[in-house]
């Protein structure tokens, strides 16, 4: 089967391509912005890199030629006005896909609460899914909470807050609930759905242990420096102030930090966890996933230090 991936160079896309290459089941058409055909070192006889401009349906059609399944991982959080951009890209992609051999779209979204006012981020995620399904192509929408992987902005935000602030005063929104999931588990779900028969616009909520965001921070601290963080929620943190503070402490860009911080007003938990139905096994426990991520972050830091030392010697 030919599988096209939009958003291929991002965190999830990169890991999905690695998994698909290893599985030896599908040929992959991956989107890139330049003519460089070895993006991030991903090379395989079954992997083809194609440039695409999501503002032009004809460019999207050219990209999709030969593919039967599209995995849609596009997100514009780094851009101002990301809501309108995401909606536009989704509409143009669906319009283009309807004129090709694409039979199914797999889309990674966030868990959308059924009640209460949505953050801009989650509202955008919901509207993107609706746009992709607007003209009848089957859509498998995977809805996940916090992705626990070292390349995930959500995880890195939690990691650096926990690592650098063992005692912290936080917004009251950290009392909201979430259902984090290991990045590798989310990627496995995407891979399994490529072969699954999907009718209409089908929702697949996934996640691991349900907990408060403050407990996720504390567990992350425990995995990083051996003890849980001490957290004092207070009611008077403005979102704009919180996002600037997060950017300063973690290095996550303010535009992304603000969008993610706004989402903390909503509980991000599944009502029907379909992970085991899709994969045949339980998801990795959050504490185990955090330990593995912390070890990988430590390894990456040691490699950077070693590389810097070699450069200085050279």
């Amino acid at each position: 089967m030919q599988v096209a991936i939009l958003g291929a160079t991002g965190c999830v896309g990169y890991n999905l391509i690695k998994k698909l290459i290893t599985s030896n089941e599908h040929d992959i058409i991956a989107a890139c912005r330049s003519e460089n055909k070895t993006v991030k070192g991903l090379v395989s006889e079954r992997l083809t890199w194609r440039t695409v401009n999501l503002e032009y349906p004809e460019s999207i059609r050219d990209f999709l030629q030969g593919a039967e399944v599209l995995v849609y991982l596009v997100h514009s959080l780094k851009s101002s006005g990301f809501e309108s951009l995401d909606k536009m890209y989704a509409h143009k992609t669906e319009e283009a896909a309807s004129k090709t051999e694409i039979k199914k779209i797999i889309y990674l979204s966030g868990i959308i609460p059924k009640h209460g006012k949505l953050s801009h981020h989650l509202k955008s995620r919901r509207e993107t899914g609706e746009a992709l399904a607007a003209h009848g192509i089957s859509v498998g929408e995977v809805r996940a909470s916090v992705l626990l992987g070292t390349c995930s902005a959500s995880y890195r935000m939690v990691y650096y807050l926990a690592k650098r602030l063992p005692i912290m005063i936080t917004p009251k929104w950290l009392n909201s609930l979430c259902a984090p999931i290991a990045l590798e588990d989310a990627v496995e779900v995407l891979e399994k759905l490529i072969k699954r028969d999907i009718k209409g616009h089908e929702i697949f909520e996934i996640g691991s242990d349900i907990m408060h965001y403050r407990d996720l921070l504390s567990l992350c601290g425990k995995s990083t420096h051996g003890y849980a963080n001490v957290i004092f929620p207070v009611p008077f943190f403005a979102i704009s102030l919180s996002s600037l503070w997060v950017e300063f402490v973690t290095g996550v860009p303010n535009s992304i930090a603000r969008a993610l911080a706004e989402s903390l007003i909503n509980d991000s938990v599944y009502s029907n966890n379909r992970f085991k139905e899709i994969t045949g096994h339980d998801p990795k426990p959050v504490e185990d996933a955090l330990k593995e991520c912390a070890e990988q972050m430590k390894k990456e830091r040691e490699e950077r230090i070693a590389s810097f030392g070699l450069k200085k010697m050279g």
Side-chain angles (χ1 to χ4, degrees):
M1 189 180 293
Q2 288 253 35
V3 179
I5 303 176
L6 284 170
T9 59
C11 176
V12 177
Y14 177 71
N15 283 277
L16 177 60
I17 291 173
K18 285 204 302 184
K19 188 169 184 66
L20 292 176
I21 288 174
T22 303
S23 71
N24 265 327
E25 289 191 82
H26 309 294
D27 291 328
I28 308 153
I29 303 167
C32 58
R33 294 181 180 177
S34 72
E35 295 299 326
N36 182 355
K37 303 303 183 185
T38 58
V39 176
K40 293 187 177 180
L42 290 175
V43 182
S44 168
E45 292 180 353
R46 295 182 297 102
L47 172 61
T48 301
W49 291 96
R50 292 180 185 170
T51 56
V52 62
N53 188 329
L54 294 181
E55 294 184 11
Y56 301 103
E58 60 271 22
S59 176
I60 304 171
R61 284 199 300 272
D62 290 342
F63 168 76
L64 293 174
Q65 288 306 311
E68 302 160 73
V69 176
L70 168 62
V71 180
Y72 191 86
L73 304 172
V74 177
H75 206 351
S76 308
L77 268 186
K78 291 182 180 179
S79 306
S80 59
F82 68 87
E83 291 174 273
S84 58
L85 276 178
D86 278 344
K87 196 171 181 178
M88 177 188 72
Y89 291 154
H91 274 299
K92 289 183 182 293
T93 297
E94 201 281 335
E95 176 189 342
S98 67
K99 297 177 173 64
T100 68
E101 298 176 8
I102 294 293
K103 304 293 191 299
K104 175 172 58 181
I105 298 173
I106 308 300
Y107 162 56
L108 180 61
S109 181
I111 293 180
I112 313 296
K114 292 180 172 57
H115 305 289
K117 183 180 178 181
L118 293 180
S119 68
H120 294 292
H121 172 229
L122 292 179
K123 183 171 179 284
S124 174
R125 296 287 79 197
R126 184 185 66 188
E127 290 178 346
T128 296
E130 291 169 350
L132 290 172
H135 294 97
I137 296 178
S138 295
V139 173
E141 181 172 341
V142 179
R143 293 183 173 179
S145 184
V146 180
L147 295 183
L148 301 178
T150 58
C151 58
S152 162
S154 296
Y155 169 73
R156 294 182 81 86
M157 193 165 76
V158 170
Y159 171 81
Y160 283 116
L161 285 172
K163 180 179 175 65
R164 294 170 177 170
L165 298 173
I167 300 175
M168 65 180 86
I169 298 173
T170 65
K172 65 178 180 180
W173 321 312
L174 289 189
N175 291 326
S176 297
L177 293 168
C178 60
I181 187 166
L183 174 63
E184 64 195 73
D185 282 343
V187 166
E188 182 182 0
V189 169
L190 297 175
E191 185 224 3
K192 297 291 187 187
L193 289 182
I194 288 172
K195 295 183 290 184
R196 184 181 176 116
D197 187 33
I198 294 173
K199 301 294 185 184
H201 185 181
E202 191 170 356
I203 305 299
F204 299 89
E205 291 182 336
I206 60 173
S208 185
D209 313 311
I210 294 176
M211 62 186 63
H212 296 281
Y213 281 102
R214 66 172 186 269
D215 296 327
L216 177 61
L217 267 171
S218 291
L219 282 174
C220 190
K222 186 178 178 182
S223 70
T224 303
H225 41 62
Y227 54 88
N229 295 61
V230 178
I231 296 172
F232 299 99
V234 295
F236 48 79
F237 264 90
I239 289 176
S240 57
L241 177 62
S242 298
S243 59
L244 288 171
W245 170 65
V246 168
E247 181 181 32
F248 175 74
V249 174
T250 70
V252 174
N254 180 55
S255 57
I256 296 177
R258 184 184 181 102
L260 296 177
E262 283 181 344
S263 297
L264 297 184
I265 64 174
N266 301 117
D267 288 336
S268 179
V269 294
Y270 46 77
S271 56
N272 177 24
N273 189 358
R274 302 184 68 180
F275 180 86
K276 190 171 184 178
E277 170 197 333
I278 300 165
T279 66
H281 61 85
D282 292 320
K284 183 176 295 184
V286 168
E287 196 159 1
D288 292 349
L290 287 171
K291 287 177 182 176
E292 291 179 10
C293 285
E295 289 170 4
Q296 183 61 33
M297 291 292 281
K298 181 180 178 181
K299 181 181 177 182
E300 290 176 9
R301 181 174 178 273
E302 289 171 348
E303 289 173 351
R304 286 195 301 271
I305 291 171
S307 175
F308 179 73
L310 287 173
K311 285 180 181 178
K312 288 191 72 175
M313 288 174 64

